[in-house]
Amino acid sequence: PLTLEEVRMLVELFYLPYQHGPLAQELLEHFRWLRANSISVGVPATAPDACGGARWRGRAQSFQRLCARTCHLHSRFVSTASRALLYDLHPYLWDIRNMLLAASAFILWLGCQSITAPIMLGRDAEPWARRGGLFGELQALLPVGNSCDLFYHPPPLFPSSQLYLLRPLLPLDKVGAMASRSCSEVALVQAGLRVQLSHAPALVARLLGPFLSLSPEYTFVLEDEAGPCGYAAGVLHAEGFLQQRDSSWLPAIRQKYPPDLGTGGPALGQEAVLFFHAEPLVVPPPVLRRFPSLVQVGTAPRVLDVGASRSLALCLLSALRANGSRGVFCQVCDADQQQLSFYSKLG
């Protein structure tokens, strides 16, 4: 059964609509301070204030631990609470868990970025657009806080106790890459796209290659207890990215994967190789003017909890918005019903 400490945590997370318990108050204080002081951290190698940077990272670690405790509480609650209590309280705890997954990864991302524009919030939301309590305050603190579609989804019909970790793609993901594969291929495989195909590197490069080669700072990884299971990748300035992809990345990848390489191999491998040699679709200029940033999100089939996918999208959009993005678009084949359904479920 739940321990007394876990019950106390549950009560403190949902104390009163306008008054928080100690745990919720500590989460909010850390998040506000870390967001307000992130500009003093900068990229670790060039941080101007070593003392301030160490203090920031110390508080970031404390915030990460609190987020992890809350996510573990959600898992324990699903496993141990009586059915009646579970279905009464699970939607609230599920929402907090999803929000803290995104907030935790966003803070990790802030610790290794130099923010070139102020963290912007949108226009003040209508009163009905934001809830009270801890969830509403965390929502307001994320840069993408007024995008209401991201925040209102029904919880899963069958609650899962699966634990997730959401984090930015780290430099350590590429350690040892030079031994046998390119950095991009190793990082991609570690980003949750491990597939049992002889042409797996080609398939992986098709999915995420240009993002990791040209815009790795906006890549996030979702992990469960079995390992990486999802990713979110983005580009702040899509117009320049697409030009660079077509002029430098595509010619190099076409040379690496000639058209006849996929012959006789698995269908997915062949498709990936041929994809490199097809002319990429041109994004209309009006789209680029109105939605200057490009995003791509995907999860493994075993990720049935839409809350984890939503956290991925929320974290990526917050990172882009923190650097001044006005809007995003994604590219999906109109025949790809699975991907269309995935994005539709995210709102």
Side-chain angles (χ1 to χ4, degrees):
L2 291 174
T3 65
L4 181 60
E5 180 61 26
E6 288 169 332
V7 174
R8 183 179 289 113
M9 285 176 61
L10 189 62
V11 171
E12 290 178 2
L13 287 170
F14 308 100
Y15 199 65
L16 290 171
Y18 301 102
Q19 184 179 346
H20 303 298
L23 174 64
Q25 192 62 44
E26 192 176 358
L27 278 165
L28 283 173
E29 286 173 1
H30 279 316
F31 196 15
R32 289 194 186 105
W33 188 91
L34 290 164
R35 212 192 83 149
N37 292 277
S38 62
I39 201 71
S40 67
V41 182
V43 176
T46 58
D49 178 7
C51 233
R55 185 183 174 203
W56 192 94
R57 288 182 175 80
R59 288 196 70 159
Q61 287 179 353
S62 298
F63 180 71
Q64 303 292 329
R65 285 194 292 269
L66 288 174
C67 291
R69 283 177 61 197
T70 307
C71 292
H72 187 259
L73 173 63
H74 169 266
S75 178
R76 287 270 296 133
F77 186 76
V78 171
S79 301
T80 61
S82 69
R83 296 297 94 179
L85 187 61
L86 173 62
Y87 282 97
D88 272 348
L89 299 185
H90 177 258
Y92 304 100
L93 196 53
W94 180 75
D95 269 338
I96 290 294
R97 183 210 66 170
N98 297 335
M99 183 67 76
L100 288 178
L101 277 174
S104 175
F106 179 67
I107 290 299
L108 276 175
W109 176 83
L110 280 180
C112 54
Q113 301 298 319
S114 285
I115 301 299
T116 55
I119 295 177
M120 302 186 306
L121 292 175
R123 297 172 298 173
D124 289 339
E126 296 292 335
W128 52 264
R130 191 174 290 151
R131 289 184 228 171
L134 178 62
F135 182 94
E137 295 212 36
L138 288 169
Q139 177 187 348
L141 286 169
L142 282 171
V144 75
N146 290 338
S147 300
C148 301
D149 284 350
L150 281 170
F151 296 96
Y152 294 93
H153 285 274
L157 198 56
F158 301 103
S160 167
S161 61
Q162 178 67 64
L163 283 168
Y164 291 102
L165 170 68
L166 177 55
R167 61 172 177 82
L169 190 74
L170 303 173
L172 288 176
D173 291 323
K174 297 183 180 181
V175 169
M178 296 303 179
S180 60
R181 296 181 177 178
S182 72
C183 290
S184 292
E185 286 169 358
V186 170
L188 284 163
V189 169
Q190 291 182 343
L193 298 171
R194 193 185 304 277
V195 285
Q196 301 302 317
L197 295 171
S198 59
H199 293 282
L203 178 61
V204 162
R206 171 187 170 175
L207 288 171
L208 274 182
F211 289 99
L212 287 179
S213 296
L214 306 175
S215 181
E217 64 272 20
Y218 292 104
T219 305
F220 294 87
V221 181
L222 181 71
E223 296 180 346
D224 61 13
E225 290 163 345
C229 59
Y231 72 93
V235 178
L236 186 62
H237 302 294
E239 187 172 10
F241 166 83
L242 294 173
Q243 290 171 356
Q244 196 175 356
R245 180 199 66 182
D246 297 345
S247 64
S248 61
W249 185 82
L250 262 180
I253 207 76
R254 284 169 176 168
Q255 187 174 0
K256 184 174 183 179
Y257 297 104
D260 57 350
L261 181 66
T263 307
L268 279 175
Q270 280 183 294
E271 182 190 348
V273 171
L274 293 175
F275 174 82
F276 299 138
H277 295 273
E279 283 304 310
L281 295 175
V282 177
V283 180
V287 172
L288 290 170
R289 283 196 296 270
R290 187 174 177 187
F291 308 102
S293 304
L294 172 65
V295 298
Q296 185 170 303
V297 184
T299 57
R302 69 178 186 267
V303 181
L304 302 177
D305 188 341
V306 72
S309 306
R310 189 180 72 180
S311 297
L312 263 175
L314 183 58
C315 186
L316 173 59
L317 295 178
S318 293
L320 290 167
R321 186 68 180 275
N323 269 332
S325 176
R326 302 189 311 275
V328 304
F329 72 96
C330 58
Q331 293 179 292
V332 186
C333 174
D334 56 4
D336 191 343
Q337 293 302 317
Q338 183 177 359
Q339 196 72 351
L340 287 169
S341 172
F342 175 79
Y343 283 118
S344 297
K345 287 178 181 176
L346 291 180

